[in-house]
Amino acid sequence: MVEKAAEATARATPTSVAHRVRGLSDRAIAWVFIAPTIILLLAINIFPLIWAIYLSFTNYRANRPNAPVLNVGLSNYERVLTDPDIWQAMQTTAHFVSWTILLQTVIGFTLAYLIDRKFRGHAFWTTLILIPMMLSPAVVGNFWRFLYEPQIGLFAYAVSLVTGIPTAEIQMLGSVSLAPWAIIIVDTWMWTPYVMLICLAGLRSIPDYIYEAAEVDRASAWRQFWSITVPMALPFIMLAVLFRGIENFKMFDMVTLLTGGGPGSTTEVASITLKRTAFESWATGRASAFAIVLFVAVFGLANIYVKALNRVKQR
């Protein structure tokens, strides 16, 4: 059947086209097939970036498309870099990224190390741990918003049961001091399984004969952990930190669903400030400049981090 289909296709192909295809190399044929996809991806990613760079030097407002667009030079960048509200949002973002990465890395690696022991029922527990990662952020945000309710939420009830504090006083989303930690808890709960998977892949890639040689040398389990497990799994741990750092730096949906940036501006991360500048103040040019600053910051930090990761891998 396959041979008949191939023969029919060959007969249906014009002679001129058949001669051209026969004259192409394998690499040229591969480029013919992947070129449309590459062009589409470049158009989707590169054009918006170039357009945002152009708008960042103008006074363009999206709610006034017919107004004259003037070149304002670097004034948008100056306002972005000297705005105290933006710097406050950057500090909030840095606090959020730092704590989520720390907690997710420590808990994720611990879970991966325990599951790697391959105890009885480890496959069931692995599947159970991965469930939060499979859920939609919208579902997770609404689910935890219900849990954080001071009157009927299970989280407030559990804290009250342990500490004796009345549930009405446990305002996780309404308290200035507790709201940032409420978001950190939710993000850690949802994405720790992702870090665990990457760390588990690193642990499973360590050859067994290395541990066998260490046991012959009478190395203790603690010594094997710090001399073999951690160094050989370190590239995977750093890779997980890179992925989660980039994702958490642009966090938007979870914060919007839980607090909306409040109370006040306590949980207003950079992405929410960018959204308000672009779609509430309608300062599109300034918002574009802010987006470019964020892009340069993330790209620069990621580039430095990748170089450090490559050095670790070469050891």
Side-chain angles (χ1 to χ4, degrees):
M1 184 67 69
V2 176
E3 293 178 357
K4 291 181 179 179
E7 291 177 0
T9 304
R11 285 195 300 268
T13 304
T15 306
S16 58
V17 176
H19 285 304
R20 292 174 189 172
V21 172
R22 291 194 192 100
L24 294 176
S25 64
D26 292 341
R27 176 172 294 184
I29 294 175
W31 274 107
V32 168
F33 281 101
I34 67 175
T37 303
I38 294 177
I39 293 173
L40 179 62
L41 290 176
L42 290 176
I44 293 174
N45 292 280
I46 300 300
F47 174 75
L49 177 61
I50 296 175
W51 184 245
I53 293 174
Y54 164 72
L55 293 180
S56 67
F57 295 102
T58 67
N59 66 338
Y60 178 76
R61 289 178 175 269
N63 63 335
R64 299 177 184 175
N66 297 324
V69 179
L70 303 177
N71 191 337
V72 296
L74 297 174
S75 61
N76 286 329
Y77 289 93
E78 292 177 0
R79 291 189 62 181
V80 167
L81 296 176
T82 57
D83 190 339
D85 293 335
I86 289 179
W87 282 107
Q88 180 62 39
M90 295 296 287
Q91 291 179 9
T92 303
T93 304
H95 175 268
F96 173 74
V97 171
S98 301
W99 280 105
T100 52
I101 287 178
L102 176 62
L103 293 175
Q104 291 173 23
T105 303
V106 173
I107 300 175
F109 182 78
T110 302
L111 291 175
Y113 184 77
L114 294 175
I115 292 175
D116 189 51
R117 302 300 93 188
K118 297 180 181 179
F119 54 88
R120 186 175 182 180
H122 72 279
F124 168 78
W125 289 106
T126 303
T127 305
L128 190 66
I129 293 172
L130 293 178
I131 290 177
M133 186 183 69
M134 303 176 187
L135 300 177
S136 168
V139 174
V140 173
N142 287 305
F143 171 72
W144 276 91
R145 189 175 182 85
F146 173 77
L147 290 181
Y148 282 143
E149 284 292 332
Q151 299 297 333
I152 59 175
L154 295 179
F155 186 88
Y157 177 79
V159 174
S160 176
L161 187 65
V162 174
T163 63
I165 301 175
T167 56
E169 298 181 7
I170 305 174
Q171 300 284 342
M172 289 297 295
L173 301 179
S175 172
V176 173
S177 58
L178 296 178
W181 292 103
I183 300 174
I184 291 172
I185 291 172
V186 175
D187 192 79
T188 301
W189 177 81
M190 183 175 183
W191 291 110
T192 294
Y194 178 79
V195 178
M196 184 199 74
L197 278 181
I198 298 178
C199 293
L200 185 60
L203 294 174
R204 295 281 171 86
S205 67
I206 302 176
D208 293 334
Y209 67 83
I210 298 180
Y211 290 106
E212 294 171 359
E215 291 177 358
V216 171
D217 293 337
R218 297 183 179 180
S220 63
W222 187 252
R223 182 68 176 176
Q224 293 180 32
F225 177 78
W226 286 108
S227 299
I228 300 175
T229 305
V230 173
M232 299 195 72
L234 185 58
F236 292 87
I237 298 174
M238 294 181 65
L239 192 64
V241 170
L242 176 63
F243 290 158
R244 291 309 307 149
I246 294 175
E247 287 296 322
N248 286 350
F249 195 89
K250 59 183 183 181
M251 170 62 68
F252 177 80
D253 46 9
M254 195 65 66
V255 179
T256 302
L257 288 168
L258 290 174
T259 63
S265 59
T266 305
T267 59
E268 185 172 321
V269 293
S271 58
I272 293 183
T273 303
L274 177 61
K275 174 254 183 182
R276 289 180 176 174
T277 304
F279 300 109
E280 294 181 12
S281 301
W282 294 104
T284 311
R286 181 151 43 95
S288 299
F290 186 22
I292 298 302
V293 170
L294 291 177
F295 170 76
V296 172
V298 174
F299 183 81
L301 293 174
N303 191 33
I304 295 172
Y305 189 87
V306 168
K307 290 182 178 179
L309 176 59
N310 291 332
R311 291 180 180 177
V312 171
K313 291 171 62 177
Q314 292 173 359
R315 291 180 181 176

